[in-house]
Amino acid sequence: MIKIYFKTGYRNLLKNTSFTLINLVGLTLGLASVMVLSLLVYEYLTANSIFKNQDRLVYLKTYSKSGDGIIQTPFPLLDEIVKVCPDVEAATHVQSFNSPWLKYQDKEFQDNTIYGETGFFKVFSFPFESGNAATALNGKYDVVLSHETAEKLFGKVNPVGKTISADDTTQLTVTGVLKPIPANATLRPTVILSINLLKTNPGFTSMANWYNTFAENYLLLKPGANKKRLTYQINQIVKTNYTAENKNQRIKLAPFEDLVKTESGDTVSVIIKGATGSAVFILLIIVANLINLNMATMFNRAKEVAVKQMVGSSKMQIVWQFCVENAILVFTSLLLAFLLFRFVLLAQINQMVKSNFSELSFDLVKDFPLTLIILFTGILVVIIAGSYPALHLTSIKITDTVKGKLTGNNGNFITRNALITLQFTLAIIFIGVTLILNRQMSFMKKASPGYNQENVLVVPLDLAFKNPAAATAHFDAVLNDLRNNPYVKNISTSYTIPTTYQQNYNTYVDPATGKEVSLRQAATDAGLIDTYQIPLVEGRNFKNVADTNEKSNVIINRSAMKALGWTTAIGKQLKPKGGGNEVDNVIGVMEDFHYRRLSESIEPIIHSYAGKQSVNYSYLSLRVDPKHAANILTKLQKEFDAMNPRRSFSYKYMSDLADQQYALLNGILKVTNYVATITLFIAAMGMFGLIALFARQRVKEIGIRKVLGASTVDIVQLLSGNFILLVAVAAMIATPVSLLLMSKWLQSFAYRTELSWWLFAVAAGIALVIAVATVSFQAVKAALANPVKSLRSE
């Protein structure tokens, strides 16, 4: 019988070509969208599954008196924990400080480097391709490489025991190579070095005290460990060793398995929630559309079903037939959807979310839980979409079916109307979300950032020069040439530029009042304010002189002045906590400017003077005459190439860097546009099928009405009026839902557009126009049919 079901189903699909194609296209696009959204959610939910013993893994969080928490602590804390806390089985830092250049023979490169203790691989159970995890970091000069890094340097040869150089000075021994790390692991190091090597770095040791908070700590607890006792012991260490300014801080243990959910930030959380909601919405629309189109073809299948019942077919056999027919359609769509997902949409979603996620990948075997979920979803769609119309047909009396009485009961009309309303409700919600998201993006891009980002070239200076002393001397000559170039208006060399300000905070005290304020810190030269044309509210800029002359001078922004309760800042002093007897003099106040994207508020900032302009900064910023920018860049590239850098010369315009801040939001906008289009398309196709059903069921009524004088407009109104009413109901439901969703979403933006009623009216209007166009096409077609043909059938 299964063979017969497949043969019958295949023939029926070919017979109803238009409905088959509509279903095939809608299902393929919808299921491909569900696949890519499901992969995003799956990777998020299964993050860090590579690590064992997650129930015993914890990380440390520092909480200030105000309740704010960060995942860093002072560096020496971990050593003390290992000494005095018996509940800890193994512990390690995950310390980023620098990334040395690694060289083997003629191959040289730099990549993401972390430093860890000897217990690193006890805490993080990375699988090893070669080497011994238990002893891999026992030596000061040991290095463990990722699979990809080892291949770059050594090819397919086992590198364990080989020697590589770091920054042309330190000889390292390869003691292990990791197996490929999944993309959804939060820790994906390419080079792992011993923390004992980092402890010999003077720059690091000067920071690794009990005041500076920059170290990440991870602990593997013993089975049955007492977490309350451990937390108490750690905070006793805090009370004993922390500096006076930080003794009010508290350390808490956080479960490692909650790391992604807790520390990934609101943006990632919004993406995952949005992906989950979108996938569910699309699935609902797919099922509703498939049921509606199956119902639309029921009229032609009714007598077939009646005959089968008369010759002895049971309800279950008829249900099986319809399910097999839908299975052919659904699983063909699944195959096409997988190809679309794998070779088109996956690359697109990676471009959108790469700044917040590692590159997503999919393997049918490796990701078998997701594969099974997709197959189960396909089976569920088949059962729902196939069984409902079959059960409806078998519930009608055989005599009524033979006579063509297929009107059914009120329950079926309610179900059909509910499905149509659901489809268009979801479609209108997505249209409204899309319109508001577009409006917010436009608002942020058009708003003034508070500085002039036009015609500013930004050149990264971190090029890893092979001879730093020679590069410094050469760059000084380049700076002099630039200052004498009439087409270069301003020059700045700085550690940070707008869009790159770091999460670097310190507490400053007003010596006159004792008031304490947390300020974001940045170090810059004398050219930043002029190059980016940031207005000065009062006071003066830094001077391009030796740092000893401006060392104790600082410039704050207006928000900092307000936070300190000052009406004027010139001549005031600030004392940084942890700075001993150091006192800073405020020499200027800059106007507030958006140093990050407009979704974030402007925080109080303090700029210190880092010294004269030189190549030792991170960025070179040039305000140039746009007509001569190409010539300036050509000359700069030649000069930098002559300085023998390891990295290639590159540049970007500040306006492009500012736009890149919104890359993720632009990606979300593209996904929302796509989902809105898909939902509208599927909903319209469902409407198309239903109006076709109505026209067929009422063909004789239409013929009689036309013979009695009804016009084409009358027939169109007869057939489409109910559908238009359902879309109007959908609009009334969708509008408050959209308003609630987007009002809540916009609260995450410090600077946001206003919600206008007409946006929701436009969303409803778009859906209504598409619905009217779809319905009218079929209705007009039915109204223009020759009534003689429809009445001659009997």
Side-chain angles (χ1 to χ4, degrees):
M1 289 303 295
I2 296 294
K3 183 178 178 181
I4 294 173
Y5 293 155
F6 270 103
K7 187 180 292 185
T8 305
Y10 176 72
R11 287 173 177 171
N12 279 315
L13 290 173
L14 287 182
K15 183 179 178 181
N16 297 287
T17 307
S18 59
F19 289 104
T20 301
L21 287 176
I22 289 171
N23 267 325
L24 196 63
V25 173
L27 281 168
T28 299
L29 293 175
L31 289 172
S33 305
V34 170
M35 285 179 187
V36 74
L37 294 170
S38 298
L39 177 63
L40 190 62
V41 177
Y42 174 78
E43 293 286 286
Y44 176 80
L45 294 177
T46 60
N48 292 324
S49 57
I50 185 176
F51 302 124
K52 300 175 183 177
N53 301 317
Q54 287 203 38
D55 58 323
R56 294 194 284 131
L57 273 178
V58 297
Y59 63 99
L60 303 185
K61 292 195 71 171
T62 299
Y63 287 87
S64 64
K65 191 176 180 180
S66 62
D68 297 327
I70 58 173
I71 63 172
Q72 286 85 26
T73 72
F75 183 81
L77 177 64
L78 188 70
D79 287 341
E80 292 298 314
I81 291 174
V82 172
K83 290 177 186 177
V84 304
C85 300
D87 287 309
V88 177
E89 181 176 315
T92 186
H93 288 106
V94 175
Q95 188 62 59
S96 299
F97 184 76
N98 58 14
S99 295
W101 280 85
L102 303 182
K103 186 176 182 179
Y104 178 74
Q105 296 178 353
D106 60 340
K107 298 176 182 177
E108 184 178 31
F109 80 105
Q110 183 188 47
D111 216 329
N112 173 33
T113 301
I114 63 172
Y115 296 83
E117 269 74 13
T118 55
F120 182 88
F121 294 110
K122 291 181 181 178
V123 176
F124 297 108
S125 51
F126 286 103
F128 268 58
E129 196 170 81
S130 55
N132 185 349
T135 60
L137 288 179
N138 283 358
K140 179 179 178 180
Y141 299 101
D142 289 347
V143 58
V144 177
L145 305 176
S146 69
H147 170 84
E148 296 78 10
T149 302
E151 281 199 346
K152 285 181 185 178
L153 288 176
F154 302 99
K156 300 296 182 181
V157 178
N158 184 352
V160 173
K162 294 185 179 296
T163 301
I164 59 178
S165 64
D167 291 337
D168 298 323
T169 57
T170 306
Q171 300 302 305
L172 305 172
T173 301
V174 179
T175 55
V177 176
L178 304 179
K179 289 183 178 180
I181 303 170
N184 63 343
T186 53
L187 189 62
R188 304 183 74 244
T190 55
V191 179
I192 308 170
L193 296 173
S194 170
I195 202 77
N196 292 322
L197 178 62
L198 185 58
K199 288 178 179 178
T200 63
N201 185 309
F204 175 78
T205 54
S206 67
M207 297 174 58
N209 52 42
W210 285 99
Y211 176 76
N212 292 313
T213 301
F214 63 88
E216 291 186 23
N217 311 269
Y218 297 86
L219 312 177
L220 176 64
L221 306 184
K222 292 179 179 178
N226 188 325
K227 292 184 179 180
K228 287 186 178 180
R229 179 177 62 194
L230 177 58
T231 302
Y232 173 79
Q233 291 171 339
I234 293 173
N235 282 292
Q236 287 300 112
I237 296 173
V238 170
K239 290 180 180 179
T240 303
N241 296 280
Y242 274 31
T243 60
E245 297 92 339
N246 293 335
K247 285 187 183 293
N248 60 354
Q249 293 180 348
R250 289 293 173 266
I251 304 297
K252 293 183 180 180
L253 306 180
F256 180 78
E257 52 195 358
D258 293 341
L259 178 68
V260 175
K261 181 174 65 176
T262 306
E263 309 299 337
S264 56
D266 292 339
T267 301
V268 174
S269 176
V270 168
I271 291 173
I272 297 303
K273 289 177 181 177
T276 304
S278 298
V280 172
F281 283 3
I282 293 173
L283 272 177
L284 287 174
I285 289 177
I286 286 173
V287 172
N289 182 68
L290 197 55
I291 290 174
N292 281 343
L293 289 178
N294 280 342
M295 296 289 286
T297 59
M298 237 177 21
F299 182 79
N300 292 335
R301 307 288 300 278
K303 292 182 181 179
E304 171 198 338
V305 171
V307 170
K308 287 185 176 182
Q309 285 181 292
M310 285 189 290
V311 297
S313 291
S314 65
K315 281 189 177 183
M316 186 53 64
Q317 287 175 318
I318 294 171
V319 169
W320 263 105
Q321 179 187 336
F322 273 76
C323 285
V324 168
E325 186 174 318
N326 277 277
I328 296 172
L329 182 66
V330 170
F331 284 97
T332 301
S333 299
L334 267 178
L335 177 60
L336 295 174
F338 177 77
L339 296 175
L340 177 62
F341 151 70
R342 178 66 182 81
F343 297 106
V344 179
L345 295 183
L346 189 56
Q348 296 294 321
I349 200 71
N350 274 325
Q351 286 184 1
M352 295 174 192
V353 303
K354 62 184 177 183
S355 60
N356 290 77
F357 295 86
S358 298
E359 185 172 347
L360 301 176
S361 61
F362 180 76
D363 184 274
L364 284 170
V365 177
K366 177 177 70 70
D367 299 314
F368 73 92
L370 183 58
T371 304
L372 293 177
I373 290 171
I374 291 172
L375 291 176
F376 175 76
T377 301
I379 294 171
L380 190 62
V381 171
V382 167
I383 293 172
I384 295 172
S387 60
Y388 179 78
L391 291 172
H392 174 66
L393 279 178
T394 55
S395 67
I396 301 173
K397 290 182 180 180
I398 296 176
T399 53
D400 290 341
T401 303
V402 174
K403 293 177 183 180
K405 298 179 180 178
L406 301 177
T407 54
N409 55 45
N410 290 332
N412 292 316
F413 287 121
I414 293 172
T415 303
R416 181 205 67 204
N417 292 343
L419 291 174
I420 294 172
T421 305
L422 172 65
Q423 284 182 300
F424 275 92
T425 298
L426 297 178
I428 293 169
I429 288 173
F430 274 114
I431 294 171
V433 168
T434 301
L435 290 174
I436 295 167
L437 184 54
N438 272 288
R439 185 178 170 90
Q440 176 64 20
M441 289 296 298
S442 177
F443 171 80
M444 290 191 297
K445 288 183 177 181
K446 289 180 179 178
S448 172
Y451 64 93
N452 188 354
Q453 61 190 18
E454 300 302 322
N455 302 321
V456 176
L457 289 169
V458 177
V459 178
L461 294 178
D462 184 18
L463 301 184
F465 300 103
K466 294 181 180 179
N467 188 334
T472 299
H474 192 119
F475 187 72
D476 287 341
V478 172
L479 283 175
N480 285 330
D481 287 342
L482 290 172
R483 293 186 186 109
N484 294 325
N485 190 325
Y487 304 118
V488 178
K489 310 301 181 184
N490 300 102
I491 302 170
S492 171
T493 57
S494 58
Y495 289 118
T496 190
I497 57 174
T499 73
T500 68
Y501 278 67
Q502 301 298 311
Q503 302 277 21
N504 181 17
Y505 297 89
N506 196 8
T507 301
Y508 285 78
V509 182
D510 178 359
T513 63
K515 185 170 185 177
E516 297 184 3
V517 175
S518 177
L519 301 178
R520 187 191 289 260
Q521 302 176 120
T524 186
D525 70 334
L528 183 76
I529 289 176
D530 291 335
T531 302
Y532 288 93
Q533 297 181 356
I534 303 169
L536 271 175
V537 178
E538 59 178 357
R540 67 171 177 87
N541 190 7
F542 295 121
K543 296 176 183 177
N544 188 32
V545 294
D547 57 356
T548 53
N549 297 331
E550 291 271 18
K551 183 179 180 181
S552 60
N553 293 335
V554 295
I555 298 174
I556 62 175
N557 66 347
R558 185 187 288 273
S559 291
M561 185 170 69
K562 288 181 180 177
L564 288 159
W566 297 342
T567 55
T568 181
I570 304 306
K572 297 289 180 69
Q573 292 184 321
L574 288 171
K575 185 176 181 180
K577 281 196 169 184
N581 295 320
E582 178 184 341
V583 176
D584 294 326
N585 301 307
V586 180
I587 63 168
V589 178
M590 63 174 68
E591 188 59 84
D592 285 343
F593 68 98
H594 292 280
Y595 49 86
R596 305 187 77 178
R597 62 188 185 190
L598 266 75
S599 58
E600 301 176 28
S601 60
I602 299 175
E603 295 177 325
I605 301 179
I606 184 167
H607 288 82
S608 59
Y609 183 65
K612 293 183 68 175
Q613 294 175 344
S614 74
V615 77
N616 297 318
Y617 287 86
S618 301
Y619 300 98
L620 167 66
S621 301
L622 304 173
R623 178 166 293 281
V624 300
D625 183 333
K627 295 179 182 178
H628 298 85
N631 292 333
I632 293 170
L633 285 168
T634 301
K635 187 173 181 180
L636 271 179
Q637 181 160 7
K638 290 180 181 178
E639 297 290 355
F640 275 97
D641 289 345
M643 293 161 66
N644 202 12
R646 288 185 171 94
R647 293 194 186 92
S648 301
F649 172 86
S650 64
Y651 74 93
K652 283 190 177 179
Y653 280 95
M654 188 64 228
S655 54
D656 294 333
L657 290 172
D659 285 341
Q660 284 178 10
Q661 296 179 106
Y662 304 105
L664 183 61
L665 287 173
N666 282 326
I668 294 173
L669 180 58
K670 288 180 182 178
V671 172
T672 307
N673 289 338
Y674 175 78
V675 171
T677 303
I678 291 297
T679 54
L680 263 181
F681 174 79
I682 297 174
M685 291 303 97
M687 187 83 81
F688 183 89
L690 282 176
I691 194 68
L693 167 67
F694 265 39
R696 289 177 185 176
Q697 286 182 341
R698 305 175 73 173
V699 63
K700 291 184 176 62
E701 177 190 347
I702 293 170
I704 293 171
R705 286 178 181 273
K706 290 197 70 176
V707 169
L708 294 176
S711 66
T712 300
V713 174
D714 294 330
I715 302 300
V716 170
Q717 289 178 345
L718 172 71
L719 293 175
S720 62
N722 185 54
F723 292 101
I724 304 306
L725 178 62
L726 293 177
V727 176
V729 172
M732 288 188 287
I733 297 172
T735 297
V737 174
S738 302
L739 178 62
L740 181 64
L741 285 175
M742 297 314 292
S743 294
K744 188 174 181 181
W745 179 71
L746 286 174
Q747 295 304 314
S748 62
F749 291 85
Y751 302 90
R752 51 188 176 270
T753 186
E754 296 295 327
L755 288 176
S756 302
W757 66 268
W758 61 266
L759 289 169
F760 303 103
V762 169
I766 291 172
L768 192 61
V769 167
I770 292 174
V772 168
T774 304
V775 171
S776 298
F777 174 80
Q778 275 287 11
V780 169
K781 181 180 176 182
L784 293 177
N786 188 345
V788 175
K789 292 182 180 181
S790 60
L791 294 175
R792 197 169 51 189
S793 62
E794 294 183 1

